[in-house]
Amino acid sequence: MAQKITHRCVGTCSQQIDIEVENGVIREVAFEGGCHGNTQGVAALVRGMRVEEAVIRLEGIDCRGRGTSCPDQLAQALKTLL
């Protein structure tokens, strides 16, 4: 059964991330706001990836000294599923 979550972003240009996960595998990611090309790229790269692997790869990525980034916010959202 697929799980759908919505994450409100903090400290980034993206305002929200909608995520669909099924059996621990990311099926769909959609960012609202942010750098369109970059967020589309991140979403495409994690599609089909296990949640744990995406968290390991994305957590802690910083954007312009903000202490977070769109990829990091995605990792924070995915951590709620672990």
Side-chain angles (χ1 to χ4, degrees), residues 31-74:
F31 287 84
E32 182 180 307
C35 303
H36 188 65
N38 289 335
T39 56
Q40 274 188 310
V42 170
L45 288 170
V46 299
R47 195 172 299 120
M49 188 180 289
R50 296 212 46 85
V51 169
E52 298 87 355
E53 182 66 21
V55 170
I56 289 167
R57 291 176 182 240
L58 301 175
E59 187 173 35
I61 293 175
D62 182 72
C63 180
R64 300 180 184 187
R66 295 177 180 171
T68 192
S69 64
C70 294
D72 180 64
Q73 287 293 297
L74 177 55

Side-chain angles (χ1 to χ4, degrees), residues 12-35:
T12 62
C13 299
S14 294
Q15 292 87 36
Q16 178 175 304
I17 310 170
D18 296 312
I19 307 161
E20 183 177 328
V21 174
E22 187 172 8
N23 297 321
V25 176
I26 301 165
R27 293 292 174 217
E28 194 66 41
V29 174
F31 287 84
E32 182 180 307
C35 303

